[in-house]
Amino acid sequence: IGQALSVSSAPESPLQKVSFIVEAEGPFVQVTRAIALLESLPLPSGVNELQLEQLPESEGGGKGRARLWRAVARIQFLTSADIPS
């Protein structure tokens, strides 16, 4: 998790929105599995933004090895926990 941000919500609401930046890197199958896990979190949440890129050959993979991929996702969820600002 790269960043955790509290997002403004209505002052009278008992719920707060929290946003996280999550990064994953590895073979394509593993990166897409991580994305699927984020999309199925068991709380009121959603993936707001997703970037998926194949890394240059110099950064991963090689002859006989799988090329590496990177995913950066911004997820947001609702919580009733107190989040200090």
Side-chain angles (χ1 to χ4, degrees), residues 10-42:
E12 65 277 356
S13 175
L15 298 176
Q16 296 185 50
K17 293 179 189 174
V18 179
S19 182
F20 285 102
I21 305 295
V22 179
E23 296 183 39
E25 191 174 299
F28 185 78
V29 171
Q30 291 177 353
V31 170
T32 54
R33 182 164 186 233
I35 293 167
L37 290 172
L38 291 175
E39 290 180 330
S40 63
L41 287 173

Side-chain angles (χ1 to χ4, degrees), residues 39-64:
E39 290 180 330
S40 63
L41 287 173
L43 24 122
S45 64
V47 176
N48 291 41
E49 185 178 329
L50 177 64
Q51 297 174 357
L52 185 63
E53 66 176 325
Q54 188 175 28
L55 297 177
E57 199 164 328
S58 62
E59 291 186 42
K63 286 208 170 217

